Amino acid sequence: NNCVNTFFRSIYPQKIYYSKMRSYTFLCTIAAVLVAYSSAFAPTPARFAVQSHTQINMGFGLDEEPKTLTRENEPEEYFATNMDKMSDEEKIPVAIAGFAFISLPFIAGLIALYASK
């Protein structure tokens, strides 16, 4: 009880004293709200879950075995972006620009922070 009164005195510095009943009511209300919020995110039990019995039937490619990709049967032409086609030396300016794009806002924030002092 002393802890609760100390808590209320720290919130309300003027001399407002609550009775024991009011303190317990407040603590019970806070506990009930916390339980309500925590149970709001609990998963639903299986008895309330909707069960679906849909079966997917696909009819294409049933007669042939799926081909595994190996080095021998890999196609010569494959999708490559313009960046994939560049050499490493050509990618360096793009990497530096990306690093600058990420770090410059932080450097500007530090400058603004130290300039305000």
Side-chain angles (χ1 to χ4, degrees), residues 10-81:
S10 67
I11 294 176
Y12 303 107
Q14 61 268 36
K15 294 191 176 199
I16 298 176
Y17 298 105
Y18 288 96
S19 65
K20 284 184 181 181
M21 187 65 179
R22 199 172 265 209
S23 299
Y24 291 135
T25 304
F26 175 73
L27 290 176
C28 290
T29 304
I30 294 296
V33 167
L34 289 175
V35 167
Y37 277 124
S38 65
S39 64
F41 298 106
T44 58
R47 63 177 180 233
F48 296 121
V50 178
Q51 296 180 355
S52 176
H53 297 287
T54 304
Q55 184 178 3
I56 298 174
N57 296 320
M58 296 186 184
F60 51 89
L62 294 176
D63 55 344
E64 58 189 48
E65 183 106 2
K67 297 177 183 177
T68 58
L69 186 62
T70 61
R71 290 183 187 211
E72 290 78 30
N73 65 2
E74 184 179 22
E76 293 294 326
E77 297 267 335
Y78 61 93
F79 175 77
T81 63

